[in-house]
C-alpha cells in the first residue's frame, strides 16, 4: 500500500508539472491513465497539502498563481532528481545501457548527430538517446536546466560552469540563387556580394554572429533582407532569389546539378565555424554518456579529415 501511494503522489506531481506547462487537465489525466475528475481531485488535494492555491482559471485555461510558480521550481527539481536517480541505478545494473541525453543545433541533425549515434549504437546497441534540437542560447539552457547532459554547438558557451571541446571545423559557403551572376563559379570573395540583401538567422543565433563577423572582416556590414529561425528557411529564400546567405556545409554534402542554389567557397575570409561538445563541469556524467562523449571526441573529426584527404 505504501508503494502504491508513493507512486500515485509522484504521478500527481508529474500531472501538476504538465498542467503548469500548458497541458489541459483532460490531456494530463489521459497521460496518467486516470479520469479527468480524479486528476482534478488529486490537484485539489495537492493544494490542500501545500496550503495555497496553485492554479487560477483564466477562461478555459489554468494558469499558475505566484505560489504555484514557486512550487513548480521545486517540483521540477524533485522530478529531475528522481529521474536521474532511476537512470543512475539502471546504469549500475547495466553500464552499457541507459540513455544519453543530448541536445544539438538544428543543422547538425542532418549529418553529424546521426553519424555519431549510428556508430555509437553499433558498439552499444542497448544505449538509448533522448534528443533535443535548439539554437545556441537554448542549448546552454538545456545544460543549466539539466534537460540534457551533453550539447553539440557551434561556439564555446560563455559560462564558467560549462566545459567545451572542439570536435571539428565546419565550412561555411556563400549560398546564391542558381541564376545569380556568380552561380557559375566555384569560388568568390564575400566582398563581391556586399551590396546584396542577406538572408540571416535572427540575432542570438550563433550563425548570425559568425555571418556578421565575416562580413565585417570582408569590409562591409550586411544588408539584412530577412531574418529567420531555421537554416532551411534561409536555403528556401535564397532559392527563391530573395538574397544570398552564409550556409553551413557538411563535409559530405553535394549539390545536384538541378539545385536552385549554388554554394561557393569564400576566398577573402575564413568561412568556417567551430563545432564542439559541452557539458557541465560540476556534473558527474552517467557511464553511458561518458562513453558517448569519448566516442564523439575520438570520431567526429574523422569525416572532415577524410574529406580533406580525398580533395587533396
Amino acid at each position: 500500500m505504501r508503494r502504491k501511494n508513493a507512486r500515485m503522489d509522484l504521478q500527481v506531481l508529474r500531472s501538476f508539472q504538465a498542467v503548469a506547462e500548458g497541458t489541459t487537465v483532460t490531456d494530463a489525466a489521459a497521460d496518467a491513465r486516470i479520469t479527468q475528475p480524479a486528476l482534478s481531485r488529486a490537484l485539489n488535494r495537492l493544494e490542500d497539502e501545500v496550503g495555497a492555491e496553485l492554479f487560477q482559471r483564466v477562461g478555459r485555461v489554468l494558469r499558475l498563481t505566484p505560489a504555484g510558480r514557486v512550487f513548480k521550481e521545486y517540483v521540477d527539481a524533485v522530478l529531475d532528481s528522481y529521474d536521474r536517480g532511476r537512470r543512475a541505478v539502471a546504469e549500475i545494473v547495466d553500464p552499457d545501457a541507459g540513455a544519453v541525453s543530448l541536445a544539438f543545433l538544428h543543422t547538425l541533425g542532418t549529418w553529424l548527430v546521426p553519424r555519431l549515434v549510428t556508430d555509437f549504437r553499433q558498439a552499444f546497441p542497448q544505449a538509448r538517446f533522448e534528443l533535443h534540437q535548439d539554437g545556441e542560447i537554448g542549448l546552454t539552457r538545456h545544460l543549466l536546466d539539466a534537460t540534457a547532459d551533453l550539447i553539440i554547438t557551434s561556439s564555446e558557451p560563455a559560462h564558467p560552469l560549462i566545459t567545451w571541446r572542439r570536435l571539428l571545423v565546419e565550412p561555411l559557403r556563400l549560398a546564391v540563387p542558381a541564376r545569380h551572376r556568380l552561380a557559375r563559379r566555384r569560388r568568390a570573395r564575400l566582398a563581391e556580394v556586399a551590396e546584396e540583401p542577406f538572408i540571416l538567422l535572427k540575432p542570438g543565433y550563433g550563425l548570425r554572429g559568425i555571418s556578421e563577423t565575416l562580413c565585417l572582416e570582408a569590409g562591409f556590414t550586411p544588408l539584412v533582407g530577412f531574418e529567420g529561425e531555421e537554416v532551411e528557411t534561409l536555403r528556401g529564400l535564397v532559392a527563391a532569389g530573395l538574397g544570398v546567405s552564409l550556409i553551413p556545409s557538411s563535409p559530405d554534402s553535394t549539390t545536384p546539378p538541378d539545385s536552385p542554389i549554388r554554394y561557393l567557397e569564400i576566398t577573402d575570409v575564413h568561412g568556417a565555424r567551430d563545432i564542439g561538445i559541452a557539458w557541465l563541469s560540476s556534473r558527474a556524467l552517467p557511464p553511458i554518456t561518458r562513453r558517448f562523449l569519448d566516442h564523439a571526441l575520438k570520431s567526429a573529426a574523422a569525416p572532415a579529415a577524410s574529406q580533406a584527404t580525398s580533395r587533396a
Side-chain angles (χ1 to χ4, degrees), residues 193-200 215 220-226 242-244:
V193 293
E195 303 300 324
E196 301 192 29
F198 271 74
I199 312 298
L200 300 172
C215 289
F220 68 95
T221 299
L223 174 64
V224 180
F226 181 82
L242 298 183
V244 300

Side-chain angles (χ1 to χ4, degrees), residues 132-155:
H132 313 270
Q133 287 182 308
D134 217 321
E136 299 285 356
I137 297 175
L139 291 178
T140 299
R141 192 178 305 115
H142 274 293
L143 276 187
L144 299 177
D145 292 347
T147 54
D149 288 328
L150 299 172
I151 61 172
I152 300 181
T153 180
S154 68
S155 60

Side-chain angles (χ1 to χ4, degrees), residues 100 102 116 120 129 150 288-296:
V100 178
L102 175 68
L116 290 175
F120 185 75
F129 282 84
L150 299 172
I288 196 68
T289 304
R290 170 57 66 177
R291 287 191 174 99
F292 180 78
L293 172 60
D294 293 341
H295 164 75

